[in-house]
Amino acid sequence: MTSARKAVGRKASGRKTAGGKGATKPRAGSAVELPFAESVGYQIRATHRVLQRFLGVKIEPHGITPGMWYFLRALWHEDGLTQRELSARVGTMEPTTLSAILVMEKKGLVRRVRNPDDRRKWHIHLTPKGRGLKARLLPLAREVVDTAVQNLSRAEVAQLLKGLAEVQKSLHATLGRLDGADSETTA
C-alpha cells in the first residue's frame, strides 16, 4: 500500500486528534465502529443486491441473466463496442466480459467481428434477436426502478440520484489522485 493510500485510510478512519467537528473517540482497546445502518457503502451494496435480484426475477423468464443484462444495456446504447470498451462500460474485468460474450453468442444475442485494421480487437454486435430484446426488457427494468422508488416523491428521487452522483464523483476523484500517486512512486 502506498503512503498516499495509507494517509487516505487514516484520514477516512475518522480518527482526529484535536477533537474537532466529526471527531470520533474510540473506546479504549476497541476499533472505530461503523454500524451497517450508517455505512453508505453497505447500504448501496444491499440496495444493489436487492435491485439485481428483483431484476433477475423479471428478466430470467426471457433467458437473460443479470450478468448478461449489463452487457446488453451497453450494446443497446452503443452497438459494436470492442471487448475492452464493453468491459470498461460495464465495469468488469476482460475475462469476465469474454465469458459473458461467449454465452451470449451461443444464445444468438451477439456476434463477434474481428477488427480488419487491428486483428487483436474484436467488436461485439447485437444480432436481431439481441436487439429485439430491448423492447421487451427495458419496460421490465423500468418496472423494477419504479417499484424501488414508489415511496419517494419525484423530488426525493432526483435528490437521491444527485447524491449518488456526488458520492461517485468524490470516489472517482480520490481514486484518480491515488492512482496518480501510485504511478509517481513506481516511476
Side-chain angles (χ1 to χ4, degrees):
M1 179 181 283
T2 66
S3 58
R5 287 187 190 221
K6 288 177 185 174
V8 169
R10 282 191 301 269
K11 184 177 177 183
S13 73
R15 293 182 186 184
K16 295 185 180 180
T17 56
K21 187 175 182 178
T24 58
K25 292 185 181 180
R27 289 172 283 173
S30 72
V32 174
E33 293 188 27
L34 180 59
F36 290 141
E38 297 174 16
S39 171
V40 171
Y42 180 85
Q43 294 303 322
I44 289 173
R45 182 174 188 271
T47 303
H48 171 73
R49 289 174 56 94
V50 73
L51 278 166
Q52 190 168 17
R53 185 167 158 235
F54 187 31
L55 178 64
V57 167
K58 293 293 195 177
I59 65 175
E60 284 174 357
H62 298 273
I64 303 302
T65 65
M68 290 180 210
W69 167 255
Y70 298 103
F71 296 105
L72 286 172
R73 283 289 309 263
L75 292 169
W76 290 333
H77 182 71
E78 189 176 359
D79 198 10
L81 295 169
T82 65
Q83 287 180 198
R84 177 164 286 166
E85 292 167 335
L86 193 53
S87 289
R89 299 292 194 292
V90 174
T92 58
M93 302 299 290
E94 288 187 54
T96 302
T97 301
L98 179 58
S99 295
I101 289 168
L102 293 175
V103 170
M104 293 168 61
E105 192 172 37
K106 283 181 185 173
K107 288 181 162 273
L109 303 173
V110 299
R111 61 186 172 82
R112 296 183 306 148
V113 177
R114 193 178 290 273
N115 183 314
D117 299 324
D118 185 345
R119 308 254 323 137
R120 295 169 297 169
K121 293 181 180 180
W122 288 88
H123 292 268
I124 313 306
H125 294 274
L126 290 163
T127 63
K129 180 179 178 182
R131 206 173 297 107
L133 285 172
K134 181 178 180 179
R136 289 188 304 204
L137 298 184
L138 278 181
L140 299 175
R142 169 52 61 192
E143 184 182 336
V144 169
V145 171
D146 289 346
T147 299
V149 298
Q150 67 186 345
N151 296 323
L152 301 176
S153 69
R154 285 182 189 240
E156 288 170 326
V157 171
Q159 186 61 41
L160 173 62
L161 293 172
K162 183 179 177 185
L164 290 171
E166 286 299 320
V167 168
Q168 293 169 34
K169 181 179 168 185
S170 295
L171 292 172
H172 284 303
T174 300
L175 287 171
R177 287 192 301 274
L178 291 176
D179 289 342
D182 282 349
S183 64
E184 290 174 13
T185 59
T186 58

